Amino acid sequence: DKAGHKHFMAKEIAEQPSVIGAALSHYLSADGRNIVLPDTMPDFATISRLTMVACGTAYYACLTAKYWFERLAGLPVEVDIASEFRYREPPITPGTLALFVSQSGETADTLAALRYCTDRVDTILSVVNVAESSIARESDLALPILAGAEIGVASTKAFTCQLTVLLLLALRAAHARGQIDDDRLADILSSLRALPSTLNTAMERNTQIRIVARQLSTSENALFLGRGLMYPLALEGALKLKEISYIHAEAYASGELKHGPIALIDDTMPVIVMAPCDALFDKTVSNMQEVMARGGRILLISDARGIATAGDGVWQTVSMPDIDPILSPILYALPAQLLAYHTAVAKGTDVDQPRNLAKSVTVE
Ligand code: M6R
């Protein structure tokens, strides 16, 4: 049931405010001030390293979470693609907590990576959508993301629910390790509680993004740039676009532009820059100037201050509501998804069942 939407993907994008709200109610106390996790949750104060393993979009959720765990909790984090991890057979040092992220809970490589860790770590933790899946069953503790059934092959609401749960875990870790003061924790939790309504405001950009997407749909290539927390989201934005619109899209950390990808820039290359006006924004402005000087067309997704700071010369802008920078990947996922969706619709591709792809990759 597409609930009046043309595609499951559109329905699942639109559901995000409510499913994230459901995940938050599940993991927060009634007054919203405390994070509630099962008693069997390992103590983050006693672990020395976190290893996260996943595939595809779930891997990008892990890459985002690495920034959170490091910045908020001071915890060393490794993130790996499951198909690499399982065959590299990396040494696991004592005190490592292994965390697997999967929407379906059936991804063959992620399951094999989990099995590799089974006798090597004290606790196997997973963050899954399908609660009765193999990955959930074979974990010591499986935390549900409560996104509800995701039908569209391109993952959308599972991604933002994964991010929400991973951010709550990072906050728990920060608290357990004495790395965050009560005021900052209360601030972030309050921004999280407001997130469903902030996402609803961002949904109002839908029509504008559809118009931009129509123009993007004539391009053969696209480049996504992001810094810090926006870098993994740039990767996710490029994956979404290529999966469903078949436009060749690449993503780079903005600082890598000069190290190669700038050679691709000419007036046929749209460059999608996702950058709230945070501490790194000035650096992103210089990157945009480098692109514009070579005729590249910039689509800037930022907040009002960022758009004002970027000045003239930007091809298109999408203005996002203000948000605590730590939460920006969850909010900015929405325009990235909508951009891919509307581009695919403009191209007339099969949005929910893109060619060559399966929803759940249960074979290698
Ligand atoms: O079910 P999983 O989360 O383990 O799936 C992982 C990837 O196969 C999945 O995220 C894939 O990349 C999606 N098609 C992305 O939209």
Side-chain angles (χ1 to χ4, degrees):
D1 175 19
K2 296 181 190 144
H5 293 273
K6 235 171 116 189
H7 299 99
F8 282 109
M9 185 179 177
K11 170 180 174 260
E12 289 159 5
I13 291 173
E15 275 172 355
Q16 290 175 109
S18 72
V19 290
I20 288 174
L24 288 169
S25 323
H26 182 85
Y27 288 106
L28 293 180
S29 57
D31 64 2
R33 290 175 197 281
N34 291 295
I35 299 164
V36 181
L37 290 164
D39 295 341
T40 50
M41 182 69 204
D43 181 1
F44 279 108
T46 61
I47 65 165
S48 55
R49 175 170 292 275
L50 175 65
T51 294
M52 287 190 279
V53 183
C55 299
T57 287
Y59 168 69
Y60 297 141
C62 294
L63 275 186
T64 310
K66 175 182 168 79
Y67 286 74
W68 284 331
F69 279 103
E70 289 181 353
R71 189 174 303 169
L72 296 167
L75 184 64
V77 176
E78 266 167 358
V79 181
D80 216 334
I81 294 167
S83 56
E84 288 299 311
F85 182 90
R86 66 179 288 195
Y87 292 116
R88 212 175 64 248
E89 303 188 339
I92 309 280
T93 49
T96 297
L97 174 65
L99 170 54
F100 300 86
V101 180
S102 175
Q103 186 284 128
S104 63
E106 300 297 345
T107 299
D109 283 323
T110 310
L111 185 58
L114 181 155
R115 288 178 178 157
Y116 172 77
C117 288
T118 303
D119 298 326
R120 293 179 168 85
V121 298
D122 294 334
T123 312
I124 304 260
L125 187 63
S126 62
V127 169
V128 292
N129 195 30
V130 181
E132 57 283 0
S133 59
S134 306
I135 288 175
R137 273 198 316 271
E138 295 192 28
S139 303
D140 296 304
L141 176 60
L143 299 172
I145 59 168
L146 304 152
E150 191 181 64
I151 311 290
V153 164
S155 186
T156 53
K157 61 176 180 171
F159 177 64
T160 48
C161 286
Q162 284 161 355
L163 290 179
T164 303
V165 173
L166 290 168
L167 177 55
L168 290 171
L169 290 180
L171 289 168
R172 161 61 72 93
H175 186 67
R177 298 168 70 82
Q179 297 284 321
I180 192 165
D181 62 51
D182 291 349
D183 289 349
R184 179 71 182 124
L185 181 60
D187 272 0
I188 298 177
L189 289 179
S190 133
S191 304
L192 264 170
R193 291 193 302 271
L195 187 59
S197 113
T198 316
L199 283 162
N200 274 323
T201 308
M203 273 307 282
E204 292 167 12
R205 313 296 185 260
N206 188 35
T207 306
Q208 189 200 349
I209 294 173
R210 190 172 68 221
I211 294 165
V212 178
R214 212 173 292 147
Q215 301 185 58
L216 190 66
S217 69
T218 59
S219 301
E220 286 180 13
N221 302 288
L223 182 63
F224 285 73
L225 296 178
R227 266 181 197 274
L229 276 166
M230 287 293 119
Y231 168 49
L233 189 62
L235 291 163
E236 168 63 4
L239 176 66
K240 273 314 68 107
L241 188 67
K242 75 185 108 183
E243 274 190 298
I244 60 169
S245 77
Y246 316 143
I247 290 175
H248 168 228
E250 291 200 51
Y252 275 89
S254 306
E256 279 289 288
L257 188 64
K258 282 198 185 75
H259 300 279
I262 199 163
L264 295 170
I265 305 294
D266 63 15
D267 59 6
T268 67
M269 179 64 96
V271 181
I272 295 111
V273 179
M274 290 191 285
C277 195
D278 58 13
L280 301 175
F281 192 72
D282 285 350
K283 296 185 192 304
T284 301
V285 171
S286 339
N287 296 135
M288 289 193 290
Q289 283 161 351
E290 287 154 9
V291 169
M292 291 186 295
R294 287 157 185 86
R297 287 178 299 156
I298 302 265
L299 164 57
L300 173 63
I301 305 176
S302 184
D303 44 34
R305 201 153 56 94
I307 289 170
T309 312
D312 297 335
V314 172
W315 172 54
Q316 302 275 356
T317 58
V318 174
S319 178
M320 299 298 288
D322 289 332
I323 190 153
D324 187 315
I326 208 85
L327 268 68
S328 53
I330 314 180
L331 178 64
Y332 281 63
L334 196 73
Q337 296 163 351
L338 287 170
L339 190 67
Y341 173 73
H342 289 301
T343 305
V345 171
K347 289 195 71 175
T349 54
D350 188 345
V351 172
D352 285 334
Q353 287 288 332
R355 67 186 184 199
N356 310 337
L357 287 173
K359 179 66 184 160
S360 178
V361 184
T362 53
V363 289
E364 284 186 59

